């Protein structure tokens, strides 16, 4: 081999060694960046899963609350209906009591007379 060939071979060997070193450094950097990216991606997935679980619990709670509100509204409507029915029944009984009071010309007890007076019904028809 000539000096020129030896020099070329030496330079080629140095060049290849430098390339291997650069490739090795690049591979280490790529591996480090990949690990960092995968770590951040895993953390983002965990955060997304936590958010999804929180949203699911909130949706479930909202559904429960909507059902409770619907039950309470129904209960309120039922109570209002029963109250109206009771009021009509009491008005019917009171009207019948007033009719009997007027027919028999009897005096109502003071408490009953007070209730009728408060409702605007005249209870003055009575024997002395």
């Amino acid at each position: 081999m000539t000096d020129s060939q030896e020099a070329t071979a030496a330079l080629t060997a140095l060049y290849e060694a430098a390339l291997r070193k650069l490739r090795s450094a690049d591979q280490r950097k790529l591996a480090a960046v990949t690990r960092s990216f995968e770590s951040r991606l895993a953390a983002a997935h965990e955060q997304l899963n936590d958010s999804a679980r929180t949203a699911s619990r909130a949706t479930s709670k909202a559904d429960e609350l909507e059902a409770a509100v619907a039950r309470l509204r129904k209960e309120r409507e039922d109570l209002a209906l029963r109250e109206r029915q009771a009021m009509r029944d009491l008005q019917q009984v009171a009207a019948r009591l007033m009719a009997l009071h007027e027919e028999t010309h009897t005096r109502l007890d003071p408490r009953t007379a007070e209730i009728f007076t408060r409702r605007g019904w005249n209870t003055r028809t009575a024997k002395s």
Side-chain angles (χ1 to χ4, degrees):
M1 226 199 237
T2 65
D3 283 341
S4 162
Q5 289 176 337
E6 287 178 13
T8 303
L11 283 175
T12 301
L14 283 173
Y15 174 71
E16 288 175 353
L19 281 177
R20 280 192 301 275
K21 189 175 181 180
L22 286 172
R23 283 186 185 132
S24 176
D26 285 345
Q27 287 176 345
R28 283 192 304 274
K29 286 180 185 176
L30 179 60
V33 168
T34 300
R35 280 191 305 275
S36 173
F37 171 77
E38 288 172 348
S39 174
R40 288 186 302 199
L41 183 61
H45 278 140
E46 186 61 33
Q47 185 178 8
L48 182 60
N49 287 336
D50 287 346
S51 295
R53 284 190 292 272
T54 300
S56 177
R57 284 191 299 271
T59 299
S60 177
K61 186 65 173 175
D63 291 345
E64 289 175 19
L65 291 173
E66 284 179 10
V69 166
R71 282 192 307 275
L72 289 171
R73 284 184 178 148
K74 177 71 172 121
E75 186 178 329
R76 183 190 67 202
E77 290 169 4
D78 291 347
L79 286 171
L81 176 63
R82 286 195 300 271
E83 186 176 302
R84 285 190 303 273
Q85 290 170 336
M87 185 58 74
R88 283 192 298 268
D89 292 347
L90 288 174
Q91 287 172 338
Q92 181 69 30
V93 168
R96 184 66 186 133
L97 182 61
M98 282 298 290
L100 287 172
H101 164 67
E102 289 177 9
E103 288 173 10
T104 60
H105 301 289
T106 57
R107 186 177 297 274
L108 294 173
D109 66 280
R111 188 168 167 107
T112 304
E114 178 187 331
I115 292 171
F116 283 156
T117 301
R118 197 170 52 237
R119 297 281 179 191
W121 294 351
N122 183 8
T123 60
R124 302 257 185 252
T125 312
K127 287 185 188 177
S128 298

